[in-house]
């Protein structure tokens, strides 16, 4: 092996990563070649210098924050699934926000209605009367669509 | 009480949406992951977010873990990929280019006490900063290979599994990285 070839192997030699045969050859070369042994010394020094980056201390506990994100992630996935089921076409962020708002609003509306109207079960059609003649693509129209969809899905 | 379940069992349970199993898994490995992220990025603030992001990925991927890859290899692979992607996108972000120097301050890492030498704390800090700067100037895969080798004690073979390349590719990454560090640090030390 030439010195150039040897030099490429010195680091692996220092890391103990060379097969025994090659390591032997390199070792005896280092013993008799001042240039290559100087190279080995410089690499060893560099290796030691890396330890100037001292130990990492005080590891924070990442568990609570990560688990909170995992739970939130689960909720988002459920909302996304509902959205993609309702609207197979991709929605803009604004539209998606509107739909989520509608879903929440309908839910709240049912709770309020069932509380104040004192009914055993909610009757969406009653609340929908207000929106009977909503123009297509309007919020009222979206409300009706979302509401029917939720009813059908039993949400 | 210590949970006797293996990592594989914990990951399987986590994949079945058992957050308690995942809590135990994290307790076992968060130190190692944080250590690697800090070493690689040199930035404690980013490391806090990155570790969470990484474990979120681990949770989502838990079902795809098979025990034929050691859990460390698998976890290191996710961590290494995430860190490399993060540094790549940060390099492209002009906001961070200006902050580069601030990130190099060894705030992450408290100085090793070296009572035996006459060095002042300031000199030690300066050397730490110099090493950090030299490491950060390396291409990301070289930096990761050297970080895994030097600080995590991985063999070339283990690194090849983490970085998904051949052992000779690892040898080349380490050789080129160490050669560059030797030149940079050698020049710095002679100043
Ligand atoms: Zn030689």
């Amino acid at each position: 092996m030439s010195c150039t070839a040897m030099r490429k192997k010195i680091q692996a030699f220092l890391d103990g990563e060379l097969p025994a045969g090659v390591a032997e050859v390199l070792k005896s070369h280092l013993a008799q070649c001042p240039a290559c042994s100087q190279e080995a010394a410089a690499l060893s020094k560099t290796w030691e210098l890396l330890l100037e980056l001292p130990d990492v201390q005080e590891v924070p506990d990442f568990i609570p924050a990560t688990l909170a994100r995992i739970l939130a992630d689960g909720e988002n996935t459920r909302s996304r699934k509902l959205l993609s089921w309702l609207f197979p076409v991709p929605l803009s962020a604004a539209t998606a926000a509107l739909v989520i708002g509608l879903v929440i609003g309908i839910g709240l509306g049912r709770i309020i209605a069932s509380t104040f109207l004192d009914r055993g079960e909610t009757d969406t059609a009653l609340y929908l009367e207000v929106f009977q003649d909503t123009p297509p693509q309007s919020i009222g129209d979206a409300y009706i669509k979302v509401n029917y969809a939720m009813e059908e899905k039993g949400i | 009480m210590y949970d006797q379940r293996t990592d594989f069992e914990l990951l399987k349970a986590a994949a079945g949406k058992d957050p308690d199993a995942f809590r135990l898994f994290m307790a076992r490995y968060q130190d190692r992951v944080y250590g690697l992220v800090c070493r690689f990025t040199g930035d404690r603030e980013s490391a806090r977010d990155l570790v969470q992001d990484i474990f979120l990925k681990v949770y989502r991927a838990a079902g795809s873990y098979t025990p034929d890859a050691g859990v460390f290899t698998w976890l290191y692979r996710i961590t290494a990929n995430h860190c490399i992607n993060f540094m790549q996108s940060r390099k492209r972000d002009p906001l961070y280019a200006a902050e580069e120097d601030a990130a190099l301050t060894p705030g992450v890492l408290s100085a090793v006490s070296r009572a035996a030498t006459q060095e002042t704390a300031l000199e030690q800090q300066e050397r730490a900063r110099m090493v950090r700067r030299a490491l950060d100037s390396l291409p990301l895969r070289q930096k990761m290979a050297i970080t895994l080798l030097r600080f995590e004690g991985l063999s070339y073979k283990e690194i090849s599994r983490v970085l998904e390349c051949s052992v000779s590719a690892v040898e080349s990454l380490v050789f080129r990285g160490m050669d560059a560090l030797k030149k940079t640090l050698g020049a710095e030390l002679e100043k």
Side-chain angles (χ1 to χ4, degrees):
Chain A
M1 265 199 282
S2 66
C3 282
T4 318
M6 293 284 182
R7 302 257 168 106
K8 288 189 176 164
K9 292 284 170 192
I10 292 176
Q11 184 59 45
F13 171 72
L14 295 173
D15 292 334
E17 292 278 355
L18 287 185
V22 187
E24 268 314 308
V25 173
L26 203 98
K27 200 173 162 187
S28 56
H29 179 79
L30 288 177
Q32 48 161 350
C33 174
C36 283
S37 85
Q38 201 180 1
E39 177 76 6
L43 282 170
S44 298
K45 194 177 172 190
T46 307
W47 183 247
E48 289 311 313
L49 266 177
L50 286 175
L51 284 193
E52 293 286 338
L53 294 184
D55 290 335
V56 176
Q57 290 180 345
E58 293 167 38
V59 180
D61 184 6
F62 296 100
I63 296 173
T66 310
L67 287 183
R69 283 180 62 186
I70 286 171
L71 289 176
D73 193 48
E75 293 302 321
N76 284 336
T77 312
R78 267 197 287 285
S79 308
R80 266 199 309 275
K81 273 186 188 152
L82 175 64
L83 273 182
S84 65
W85 176 80
L86 285 170
F87 299 94
V89 211
L91 297 178
S92 72
T95 319
L98 174 64
V99 172
I100 290 171
L102 280 170
V103 170
I104 293 170
I106 291 166
L108 276 178
R110 288 180 188 171
I111 292 167
I112 292 166
S114 63
T115 308
F116 290 101
L117 298 177
D118 193 25
R119 280 164 181 262
E121 62 182 57
T122 57
D123 183 3
T124 308
L126 177 71
Y127 330 129
L128 286 181
E129 276 169 15
V130 191
F131 296 111
Q132 281 305 322
D133 300 314
T134 53
Q137 311 301 323
S138 69
I139 291 183
D141 185 51
Y143 174 89
I144 290 168
K145 275 187 185 153
V146 172
N147 209 331
Y148 277 138
M150 287 170 75
E151 295 259 298
E152 270 175 35
K153 269 266 156 176
I155 297 167
Chain B
M1 204 178 76
Y2 183 74
D3 193 293
Q4 305 247 323
R5 279 180 288 178
T6 64
D7 295 328
F8 180 49
E9 286 167 336
L10 289 181
L11 284 172
K12 242 176 26 185
K17 308 291 170 227
D18 172 358
D20 271 334
F22 197 64
R23 183 194 303 275
L24 286 164
F25 182 81
M26 277 192 74
R28 286 182 193 173
Y29 293 110
Q30 61 175 347
D31 291 15
R32 296 288 288 266
V33 169
Y34 180 66
L36 175 56
V37 174
C38 281
R39 292 265 183 231
F40 184 76
T41 63
D43 174 358
R44 181 169 51 183
E45 285 313 307
S46 301
R48 285 169 178 269
D49 291 335
L50 288 171
V51 172
Q52 285 184 38
D53 297 342
I54 288 162
F55 276 108
L56 202 60
K57 271 192 179 171
V58 169
Y59 182 79
R60 287 180 191 152
S64 70
Y65 173 73
T66 50
D68 46 87
V71 74
F72 265 123
T73 307
W74 182 76
L75 190 57
Y76 274 137
R77 189 182 299 151
I78 294 175
T79 305
N81 283 336
H82 196 80
C83 286
I84 289 174
N85 289 341
F86 168 76
M87 294 304 275
Q88 259 164 359
S89 59
R90 185 149 104 167
K91 268 188 183 161
R92 284 194 296 266
D93 186 343
L95 255 181
Y96 277 100
E99 284 177 29
E100 200 85 312
D101 220 42
L104 296 178
T105 51
V108 187
L109 314 152
S110 69
V112 179
S113 95
R114 285 214 251 125
T117 72
Q118 299 297 310
E119 266 190 333
T120 66
L122 209 68
E123 279 168 337
Q124 280 176 30
Q125 256 192 15
E126 186 42 51
R127 281 153 75 97
R129 201 180 316 230
M130 192 180 80
V131 173
R132 184 78 251 166
R133 205 178 298 136
L135 258 179
D136 285 343
S137 69
L138 294 182
L140 295 170
R141 281 172 71 83
Q142 288 179 23
K143 180 162 86 156
M144 184 53 85
I146 288 174
T147 307
L148 290 169
L149 181 75
R150 184 57 171 131
F151 301 108
E152 302 298 317
L154 267 62
S155 67
Y156 284 12
K157 195 176 176 87
E158 288 165 329
I159 296 171
S160 78
R161 292 197 187 115
V162 173
L163 296 181
E164 296 174 282
C165 60
S166 66
V167 174
S168 61
V170 172
E171 186 180 324
S172 165
L173 286 172
V174 171
F175 164 72
R176 284 180 287 148
M178 286 300 292
D179 195 52
L181 286 178
K182 181 198 73 189
K183 284 173 184 146
T184 317
L185 292 172
E188 288 272 355
L189 287 174
E190 277 164 24
K191 272 183 195 169

